[in-house]
Amino acid sequence: MPIIDFKTLHFPPRYGLANKIHKLDCTWSDIILAAVTVGRKNWGWVTRYGPLSEHEMAFRINMILAFLEENPHGQIERTDNFITLCKR
């Protein structure tokens, strides 16, 4: 199961998120669904433009598959492909 490390800073105490690195256990399906739905208020907004929305979903999914991978310890890391593109 993939693990995503994330760092929290300056959250109000009521959220219970201390300034530290946390671990989020998830599945690849969770990651893909998050990529497809981020910035949308509901599924209707994800699919709003029919075929154009399908192309956008494919783009978002392919970006995840091209730029993230799971290392032998289950942690999510950037791929060499991503790192190479960022150097240009």
Side-chain angles (χ1 to χ4, degrees):
M1 177 174 287
I3 301 167
I4 298 174
D5 294 331
F6 67 98
K7 186 176 184 179
T8 54
L9 289 173
H10 313 299
F11 276 84
R14 68 178 176 264
Y15 293 116
L17 294 170
N19 293 342
K20 66 177 190 174
I21 296 176
H22 303 267
K23 295 191 179 299
L24 175 67
D25 293 328
C26 58
T27 66
W28 278 102
S29 294
D30 294 331
I31 295 168
I32 297 294
L33 182 61
V36 168
T37 58
V38 68
R40 305 290 190 242
K41 69 179 165 176
N42 57 42
W43 191 251
W45 281 61
V46 171
T47 59
R48 184 177 199 163
Y49 299 106
L52 295 176
S53 294
E54 290 175 20
H55 293 307
E56 181 184 356
M57 282 189 274
F59 170 77
R60 290 177 179 222
I61 291 166
N62 284 311
M63 294 293 282
I64 293 296
L65 298 176
F67 297 142
L68 297 179
E69 64 187 355
E70 191 173 344
N71 71 21
H73 306 289
Q75 297 165 310
I76 300 296
E77 297 180 329
R78 293 172 286 191
T79 63
D80 290 340
N81 183 29
F82 177 86
I83 293 165
T84 301
L85 285 171
C86 288
K87 288 181 182 179
R88 294 181 179 196

